[in-house]
Amino acid sequence: MAITIKVTASDISLYHVAAARLGDATQWWRIARLNGMDDPDLSGFTTPVSLLLPGVDASQDSGVPGVTS
């Protein structure tokens, strides 16, 4: 189940958001994919932006889509 969060440039990157919210920085691509993004950098956000955040998925453990460790 996805939830909505607000991010700003102070959140630095989707790597940081994924580490804080999903417990794994390599899961940034899941947040990006869900929100139609391809760049993990948040420094260009001048105002808060709403992002959908995917649920934690322990099966996604390699950080690479479609590859398991």
Side-chain angles (χ1 to χ4, degrees):
M1 181 174 122
I3 61 168
T4 302
I5 62 169
K6 295 270 190 190
V7 296
T8 64
S10 68
D11 291 302
I12 305 171
S13 72
L14 292 180
Y15 298 113
H16 290 87
V17 174
R21 300 293 187 126
L22 302 179
D24 181 359
T26 66
Q27 297 298 305
W28 74 270
W29 63 270
R30 295 181 60 226
I31 300 170
R33 182 180 286 171
L34 189 59
N35 290 280
M37 300 170 69
D38 57 9
D39 185 351
D41 182 27
L42 302 177
S43 66
F45 292 2
T46 57
T47 59
V49 175
S50 294
L51 291 179
L52 290 173
L53 188 69
V56 174
D57 183 352
S59 71
Q60 300 291 326
D61 63 352
S62 74
V64 180
V67 176
T68 56
S69 57

